[in-house]
Amino acid sequence: MSQLQPGSACGCSGNCRNGLARGEILPRPESAQGVTHRLDTGCGKIYLTVNYQPENGEILETFITTGSDGGCLIYTEATSRLISLALRAGVAVNEIVEQLDSTHSCPAYQLARGRGKEVSLGKSCPSAIAKRLAEIAAELSPDHGAADKESCCPQGEKAAFSLMAEARDLSTAANQ
């Protein structure tokens, strides 16, 4: 994990909402805008909904639900709640992505891929969620498309774009 400045959850100048005091949790907003993406996993489909503030692209919460063809309902609900809690506690998206993406490979995920099933990029459900979350964070960035990402929280933005580029490179290599 990154070394952070005292008193700042993200290490920035303190101008963003990530400057929360230790243990402070922001309340869930009254309303937010959202996008939902389908992920195909070794156990079936899961749907990742990411709610964000349209004014600045700040991700506020996630909802992960399973499709009718499988997946672990309890696992996905717990993962979604923990991601949302971490976001509201000021944890940078890139830190959440790093943790989810560093999990081990799932045998069902790898078996499905080995049998030729089209599965989402990743090696497990958490990994697929991480990769899609990084892509969404990059797309929602106010500077989307800029060559040099700078924002009030540059660590999160640059890491999200780095993970998105890495995911695309891995996808290209896997399809060759």
Side-chain angles (χ1 to χ4, degrees):
M1 285 195 178
S2 321
Q3 292 295 322
L4 302 177
Q5 297 172 359
S8 176
C10 68
C12 73
S13 63
N15 296 328
C16 68
R17 74 145 184 106
N18 285 337
L20 298 171
R22 182 174 176 88
E24 186 177 356
I25 308 278
L26 294 175
R28 185 183 184 281
E30 288 291 320
S31 65
Q33 198 165 337
V35 294
T36 301
H37 292 265
R38 183 179 103 180
L39 301 171
D40 295 304
T41 72
C43 296
K45 295 178 205 61
I46 58 175
Y47 296 89
L48 171 64
T49 299
V50 176
N51 288 343
Y52 61 93
Q53 291 287 4
E55 304 85 41
N56 59 13
E58 178 184 5
I59 296 176
L60 303 169
E61 62 188 351
T62 63
F63 294 94
I64 305 168
T65 55
T66 58
S68 60
D69 59 348
C72 178
L73 174 64
I74 306 307
Y75 163 78
T76 56
E77 181 182 356
T79 301
S80 179
R81 287 177 181 222
L82 288 172
I83 292 170
S84 295
L85 181 64
L87 289 167
R88 291 190 352 257
V91 176
V93 172
N94 70 302
E95 295 291 339
I96 296 167
V97 166
E98 182 181 309
Q99 290 299 309
L100 291 171
D101 199 36
S102 66
T103 59
H104 293 284
S105 296
C106 171
Y109 209 93
Q110 300 308 318
L111 181 62
R113 180 172 282 135
R115 290 184 172 166
K117 179 181 177 188
E118 296 258 345
V119 293
S120 297
L121 187 62
K123 58 189 178 198
S124 62
C125 290
S127 177
I129 291 166
K131 291 183 184 318
R132 188 54 58 95
L133 189 58
E135 289 175 4
I136 293 168
E139 291 169 4
L140 292 174
S141 167
D143 302 329
H144 180 64
D148 184 28
K149 289 298 193 190
E150 291 295 336
S151 72
C152 82
C153 191
Q155 298 94 331
E157 298 297 331
K158 287 180 181 176
F161 272 84
S162 173
L163 284 168
M164 189 170 88
E166 181 182 323
R168 287 186 181 144
D169 291 345
L170 289 171
S171 178
T172 302
N175 291 333
Q176 290 179 351

